[in-house]
Amino acid sequence: MNTTITSRIIIASTGLLSLAGQINAKEQPNILWITCEDISPTIGCYGDQAAKTPVIDQLASEGVRYTHVFATAGVCAPSRSTIITGVYAPSLGTHHMRTGNDISGISKGIYPTETGIIDPEGNSVPKYSAVIPSEVRCFPELLRKAGYYCTNNAKTDYQFAAPISAWDENDSNAHWRNRPKDKPFFAVFNLNVSHESMIWKKKNDPLLINKNAPNIPPYFPENKVIRQDVARNYSNIAELDKQVGQILKQLKEDGLLEKTIIFFFSDHGGPLPRGKREIYDSGLRVPFIARFPHRFKAGTVSEELISFVDLAPSMLSLAGITPPDYMQGQAFLGVHKSDNARTEIFAARDRLDECYDMVRCVRTKDYMYVKNFYPEKPNYMDLKYRRQMDMMNELIRLHKSDSLNAVQEIWFHKTKSTEEFYKVKEDPHQVQNLITDSCNQLIVEDLRKKLTNWQQKINDQGFIPEGEMVLQMWPNLKQPQTLKPAIEKINNTFKISCPTQGASIVFQFSNSGASKPEWKHWHVYSEPITAKKGQYLHIIASRIGFKQSEEFVIKCE
């Protein structure tokens, strides 16, 4: 790729100029996602000096640091389903955390049926793979059709089994280094050292930061146990920084640093209580850094509002692909960058493990409006999983002993306001609910309408009891199966289709008809394919949420 072409791509990528037409395959940039779990912008380049993150800080100094990027849920699986599709989780039916097993790669979607979970209407809820609208695809499939080699290392957690069509590689060995020569890549590396569970799993490891350095937010008391877990979180982020450095080192070793657009971000906000699972900034706001080849726009800070629903259309736009109409986000980069800047973000909170709630929010740069559909429930959910954290148990102890101040006690109130309103610049932790202040009513009414309109526009399925929703997806609680593909042969050219609406088709060739003979990766079918005499053609069809079809094998005579 020559310097002139690279410069033109990068200019288009940042949305400063628009290139006419599609970018051809030779001009498609490599795209690398380094994603992590459960961190807020508590890193050095965002002004938190307690964090030891020299690698991430340097990445920000060489790229664009975004300050207003938000997840669509404060927990991983609903958030990740939006990231991979470009569609809000409540629109897909993937809004409850969690629906089923995180099955990666080639999956027949076999799930256990018993969970013991009962929805608010008394319906039993089994484990299930969400059946999403038939037109929706995992966006890497669209990149693959456009010539990209797509790898995911290694977490999916989409609320449905990752379809066989989504990735060229989807396991712990997935890497851009395995791609065919000169093929553009989209590579994802998911780092989990900062995950909530590492607060207790790594509790006895030496700290990599000064224990007394982190600031304690006002909704936590200063306490030895609490400070220890806060420090552990920062220490895990310091370890994360080193892992990011290892991936960037590989990119440099391969001579690809200046041929690749690099993104770093978390799947939602931080892992501590009153952070993860909430729809305040502590649960939604994430660090987000983009580094472009040749350090284009190095050191720039962008304050534009970005939602995770915008990621899929933006990656397609960078590759010169027009985002499909079903996507509910808008591109903030690339040749199809939206002409209109986003003015608000939306987020949702529903069932979290064994506990039910339904909360929706809209946030602008200045305000946040929250609607609680179960105001009789507290914000605090007594989740078994989170009880493994010393800090969580300490907060419960302090609450029961009346040792928390008024701000710290808010989270434990037995009920919550039907509506909440915050001025986020004056109240960055969202602890002062101003919903009853008459001077804010015009703003509240505007945000209330925006939220209602959004729910109607996306067909918010939060109003459907989960047990009923599962029966709509899985009639008689039996997972539907993708039908066998239909094949039309003309000489040695094969035209393939599938009678299951919304199914994707994958294929590969082998020199024997045995199941998994050489087991090369599957190719996404997009047009009739030609086989050589003596080869065997293997075909599978799969719709998201369905069991995939049986494998079909044809010998090419």
Side-chain angles (χ1 to χ4, degrees):
M1 184 182 293
N2 63 47
T3 302
T4 301
I5 291 176
T6 300
S7 298
R8 287 164 57 202
I9 293 174
I10 301 311
I11 291 172
S13 298
T14 56
L16 300 177
L17 294 176
S18 177
L19 296 179
Q22 299 284 339
I23 300 175
N24 65 48
K26 292 183 179 180
E27 295 176 342
Q28 289 175 316
N30 300 318
I31 302 172
L32 169 64
W33 279 12
I34 304 176
T35 69
C36 63
E37 304 203 40
D38 304 9
I39 73 169
S40 296
T42 48
I43 52 182
C45 59
Y46 283 86
D48 195 328
Q49 299 308 311
K52 303 297 183 183
T53 53
V55 174
I56 298 171
D57 297 348
Q58 181 176 344
L59 191 69
S61 72
E62 296 178 359
V64 181
R65 176 170 59 87
Y66 293 84
T67 60
H68 286 75
V69 180
F70 295 85
T72 51
V75 70
C76 56
S79 177
R80 287 174 179 267
S81 68
T82 293
I83 291 172
I84 202 65
T85 62
V87 180
Y88 289 103
S91 187
L92 295 171
T94 58
H95 48 294
H96 294 294
M97 172 70 190
R98 153 179 301 113
T99 64
N101 297 338
D102 180 17
I103 300 178
S104 302
I106 299 167
S107 168
K108 294 184 178 179
I110 299 172
Y111 291 85
T113 57
E114 298 297 330
T115 64
I117 295 173
I118 304 296
D119 74 19
E121 297 299 318
N123 303 300
S124 178
V125 179
K127 290 188 177 182
Y128 60 99
S129 180
V131 175
I132 68 176
S134 60
E135 69 273 15
V136 178
R137 300 289 190 275
C138 294
F139 80 87
E141 178 179 326
L142 306 181
L143 288 173
R144 294 184 69 193
K145 287 184 176 181
Y148 274 79
Y149 191 81
C150 297
T151 64
N152 181 59
N153 188 328
K155 185 173 182 176
T156 54
D157 216 6
Y158 305 146
Q159 306 280 56
F160 47 79
I164 194 171
S165 57
W167 301 100
D168 288 280
E169 300 177 41
N170 183 19
D171 55 37
S172 59
N173 296 314
H175 204 291
W176 72 74
R177 288 177 169 173
N178 301 327
R179 77 193 191 284
K181 184 179 179 181
D182 297 328
K183 195 165 189 176
F185 66 80
F186 170 61
V188 179
F189 289 84
N190 294 279
L191 306 177
N192 74 345
V193 68
S194 54
H195 187 265
E196 173 187 25
S197 62
M198 297 301 171
I199 301 292
W200 57 84
K201 289 180 179 179
K202 295 174 68 66
K203 63 186 291 184
N204 295 320
D205 289 5
L207 291 174
L208 303 180
I209 62 121
N210 180 348
K211 181 178 179 178
N212 296 317
N215 291 321
I216 303 294
Y219 44 80
F220 295 147
E222 178 59 65
N223 172 288
K224 181 179 179 180
V225 175
I226 289 170
R227 177 158 289 282
Q228 177 63 34
D229 279 357
V230 172
R232 169 52 53 199
N233 177 42
Y234 275 81
S235 183
N236 291 347
I237 293 171
E239 189 172 346
L240 165 72
D241 188 73
K242 295 179 180 180
Q243 295 179 2
V244 172
Q246 293 171 0
I247 296 171
L248 295 178
K249 180 182 178 182
Q250 293 175 357
L251 198 67
K252 293 174 185 177
E253 290 172 348
D254 293 354
L256 295 170
L257 180 63
E258 304 306 344
K259 299 178 181 179
T260 304
I261 302 174
I262 304 166
F263 294 90
F264 168 81
F265 61 96
S266 173
D267 60 352
H268 52 75
L272 301 176
R274 214 272 189 183
K276 184 173 181 175
R277 303 177 182 87
E278 303 296 332
I279 59 171
Y280 305 117
D281 280 12
S282 54
L284 299 179
R285 198 170 189 173
V286 299
F288 192 94
I289 297 166
R291 185 199 187 276
F292 300 96
H294 305 291
R295 304 185 185 187
F296 188 80
K297 301 293 288 184
T300 299
V301 176
S302 172
E303 295 184 353
E304 64 181 303
L305 278 172
I306 296 171
S307 168
F308 274 6
V309 78
D310 301 328
L311 295 185
S314 297
M315 297 308 110
L316 295 178
S317 178
L318 286 172
I321 303 167
T322 303
D325 291 340
Y326 68 75
M327 286 189 173
Q328 295 168 344
Q330 61 186 53
F332 61 90
L333 295 170
V335 294
H336 299 290
K337 180 180 184 292
S338 175
D339 293 331
N340 301 312
R342 176 177 289 281
T343 56
E344 59 271 323
I345 64 98
F346 300 92
R349 157 171 146 143
D350 293 273
R351 176 174 60 78
L352 299 172
D353 298 342
E354 68 270 26
C355 298
Y356 273 93
D357 202 355
M358 181 178 173
V359 186
R360 300 291 182 265
C361 82
V362 54
R363 189 203 192 282
T364 67
K365 284 188 177 180
D366 298 315
Y367 309 109
M368 173 181 280
Y369 169 78
V370 178
K371 177 67 179 291
N372 293 301
F373 290 86
Y374 293 115
E376 70 277 10
K377 293 177 177 286
N379 270 317
Y380 167 67
M381 290 182 170
D382 193 27
L383 302 172
K384 294 178 182 178
Y385 187 80
R386 187 165 52 194
R387 282 283 200 122
Q388 298 175 86
M389 191 185 304
D390 290 344
M391 177 179 177
M392 185 67 256
N393 292 312
E394 179 68 2
L395 285 170
I396 294 171
R397 185 188 71 79
L398 293 170
H399 160 64
K400 289 182 177 179
S401 63
D402 295 323
S403 300
L404 300 175
N405 67 28
V407 169
Q408 296 156 6
E409 190 63 37
I410 293 172
W411 196 45
F412 289 101
H413 287 175
K414 291 183 179 180
T415 61
K416 50 185 179 275
S417 172
T418 301
E419 296 178 297
E420 302 170 42
F421 174 74
Y422 303 97
K423 294 183 177 180
V424 293
K425 290 184 177 179
E426 301 171 13
D427 180 18
H429 297 290
Q430 291 94 61
V431 294
Q432 300 175 19
N433 183 8
L434 304 177
I435 192 64
T436 59
D437 288 9
S438 59
C439 60
N440 300 317
Q441 291 313 301
L442 290 178
I443 300 171
V444 169
E445 179 59 28
D446 177 61
L447 295 176
R448 185 185 290 130
K449 288 180 179 178
K450 288 180 184 297
L451 185 64
T452 299
N453 290 340
W454 172 74
Q455 289 186 274
Q456 293 173 347
K457 183 178 180 179
I458 70 164
N459 188 28
D460 190 341
Q461 296 190 50
F463 296 105
I464 305 174
E466 188 177 12
E468 294 181 17
M469 186 183 71
V470 174
L471 284 172
Q472 293 174 12
M473 295 177 174
W474 288 29
N476 299 317
L477 289 182
K478 183 178 180 180
Q479 185 177 18
Q481 182 163 7
T482 313
L483 296 175
K484 190 175 181 179
I487 302 165
E488 180 182 352
K489 181 177 180 292
I490 304 174
N491 297 321
N492 273 338
T493 298
F494 298 86
K495 183 178 181 181
I496 310 171
S497 60
C498 181
T500 299
Q501 185 179 13
S504 296
I505 298 168
V506 296
F507 69 95
Q508 65 170 293
F509 292 108
S510 74
N511 294 319
S512 71
S515 178
K516 303 183 181 180
E518 291 97 11
W519 209 245
K520 297 178 181 178
H521 79 274
W522 294 91
H523 302 276
V524 179
Y525 175 84
S526 59
E527 59 185 9
I529 52 179
T530 301
K532 296 179 181 179
K533 186 176 180 179
Q535 283 186 317
Y536 289 84
L537 176 61
H538 301 249
I539 304 167
I540 291 176
S542 178
R543 175 177 167 180
I544 292 176
F546 284 40
K547 292 182 183 180
Q548 66 186 30
S549 75
E550 297 177 3
E551 182 179 338
F552 194 77
V553 184
I554 304 172
K555 184 176 182 181
C556 307
E557 303 293 346

